[in-house]
Amino acid sequence: GSYDLTMRLWTPDGHDRGTRRGHNDYVRRVAWSPDGEFVASASEDKTVKIWNGKTMDEESSLTEHSDAVSTVAWNHDGSLLASGSNDGTVKLWDPKTMKVMGTLEGHS
């Protein structure tokens, strides 16, 4: 991720996949899914974007946070995506449906 609103991606074996634009503010975190099929990016623009790991095309934009998203992480088998935001929540996403499965609150 970068302050220039882009993300530059490399495969786990070091192959440069290029630079992608799609966010409207700083990109804070980028995470590959365990199987390499998807990349998730977290941004100050309050969104998490899901990118196709092969074509690097944007697949989805997750917009449920009300403040900057500072982190994103996949679970061990890629069946769950978590995003943490300055809105004080962690959202748990189903990557198949791109819907929120739950929200953890109480962080400040």
Side-chain angles (χ1 to χ4, degrees):
S2 177
Y3 288 110
D4 68 1
L5 316 186
T6 66
M7 61 176 192
R8 184 146 187 196
L9 297 168
W10 292 266
T11 61
D13 63 359
H15 177 60
D16 185 355
R17 296 301 308 261
T19 301
R20 294 292 181 260
R21 297 182 185 276
H23 286 288
N24 297 317
D25 208 334
Y26 304 149
V27 179
R28 288 295 194 185
R29 186 85 58 206
V30 175
W32 284 92
S33 64
D35 61 6
E37 293 291 319
F38 298 99
V39 178
S41 57
S43 174
E44 293 280 317
D45 67 5
K46 307 177 190 175
T47 68
V48 173
K49 293 195 180 283
I50 307 298
W51 307 82
N52 182 298
K54 290 184 176 58
T55 66
M56 301 318 300
D57 293 331
E58 184 180 326
E59 296 276 326
S60 188
S61 184
L62 312 178
T63 60
E64 298 291 323
H65 283 292
S66 63
D67 204 342
V69 183
S70 56
T71 193
V72 65
W74 299 88
N75 73 334
H76 71 285
D77 65 1
S79 64
L80 183 71
L81 179 67
S83 58
S85 170
N86 292 353
D87 65 11
T89 67
V90 172
K91 296 208 180 278
L92 305 175
W93 305 88
D94 179 340
K96 291 181 182 174
T97 65
M98 302 301 174
K99 303 282 185 202
V100 175
M101 297 171 56
T103 300
L104 306 174
E105 298 182 24
H107 297 278
S108 57

